[in-house]
Amino acid sequence: MAMVDGRIWPPYEAFYINGMLFNAQSAFRSIARISHAFETLPEAAMEEGLDRVLTHNILNDLQNIIVHGAALSRYFWPVRKGHAERGVHLRESLNIDESNPLFSRDLRNAIEHFDERLDRYLSDGIVGIVIPEYVGPKPSDDGVPGHLFRAFFTDVGIFRLLDSDHEMDPIVAEIIRIKELLETADENGGRLPTA
């Protein structure tokens, strides 16, 4: 009996809070690592290019943010029937609506169906310049086909995963907001805020 009259039974709210906190806190650790990495870069680092390990770590953390953002999205907008009331309760408690950056189906599909998207992406054949991982300003279109499998365009704040671009600032801001609300709820007896 998780739901009573369309609401999560109050003693069970703590379980949802803890489940979502795992995702929000894991994403936040990635946000903090990325922030630290950019804060400690030498001034000329973007012009000279980042080393491979740093690029790889930044992209891994960005992808982790997307993974956990998608997981949070499933709490608020469940896919399977029979769970819609839970989503409504959580959205109302945390002041979330469809204008929320976590609502994006592209965000969820980028991760949930990545293997299938990779199959389709590669089945078209890859010609031109291939760059598996890139962090830096968005390259200009010079007419030569280019393929960036994972990239972060520092000048526009966009993370690219195959052919899907994600504006990171709104996603990051929302994950931080949700994390803070959930931490407060956890500290206050495992109860969600009331709408």
Side-chain angles (χ1 to χ4, degrees), residues 28-189:
F28 184 76
R29 285 189 294 275
S30 286
I31 293 165
R33 282 191 298 267
I34 292 168
S35 178
H36 178 73
F38 280 110
E39 286 171 3
T40 58
L41 282 177
E43 282 186 40
M46 295 316 292
E47 292 84 36
E48 296 169 4
L50 303 182
D51 72 38
R52 185 174 180 198
V53 172
L54 182 57
T55 295
H56 184 74
N57 290 341
I58 289 170
L59 293 172
N60 282 351
D61 278 322
L62 285 162
Q63 190 164 339
N64 189 58
I65 294 166
I66 296 294
V67 165
H68 288 291
L72 287 169
S73 177
R74 287 190 299 274
Y75 278 100
F76 305 127
W77 293 279
V79 176
R80 297 181 197 266
K81 293 181 184 194
H83 304 279
E85 289 178 340
R86 179 245 299 151
V88 170
H89 182 113
L90 294 174
R91 289 193 310 269
E92 288 175 356
S93 295
L94 299 174
N95 195 25
I96 292 172
D97 61 26
E98 291 183 2
S99 67
N100 193 289
L102 299 181
F103 177 69
S104 169
R105 274 291 201 223
D106 291 337
L107 175 72
R108 286 168 62 167
N109 289 338
I111 295 304
E112 292 174 9
H113 305 291
F114 181 78
D115 57 323
E116 297 163 4
R117 289 181 53 239
L118 182 59
D119 291 341
R120 283 191 299 276
Y121 187 83
L122 296 174
S123 70
D124 292 337
I126 302 295
V127 295
I129 299 171
V130 176
I131 302 173
E133 297 184 326
Y134 172 78
V135 173
K138 188 171 185 176
S140 58
D141 185 5
D142 60 4
V144 176
H147 302 278
L148 298 166
F149 292 101
R150 286 193 322 163
F152 181 57
F153 306 131
T154 54
D155 54 339
V156 292
I158 291 184
F159 175 57
R160 176 171 293 168
L161 188 58
L162 293 181
D163 54 358
S164 176
D165 287 352
H166 305 281
E167 198 175 332
M168 293 306 296
D169 285 344
I171 293 168
V172 164
E174 183 58 11
I175 288 172
I176 291 171
R177 185 188 76 83
I178 289 169
K179 178 189 89 64
E180 290 171 354
L181 287 172
L182 293 171
E183 286 174 342
T184 299
D186 189 47
E187 292 164 5
N188 292 324

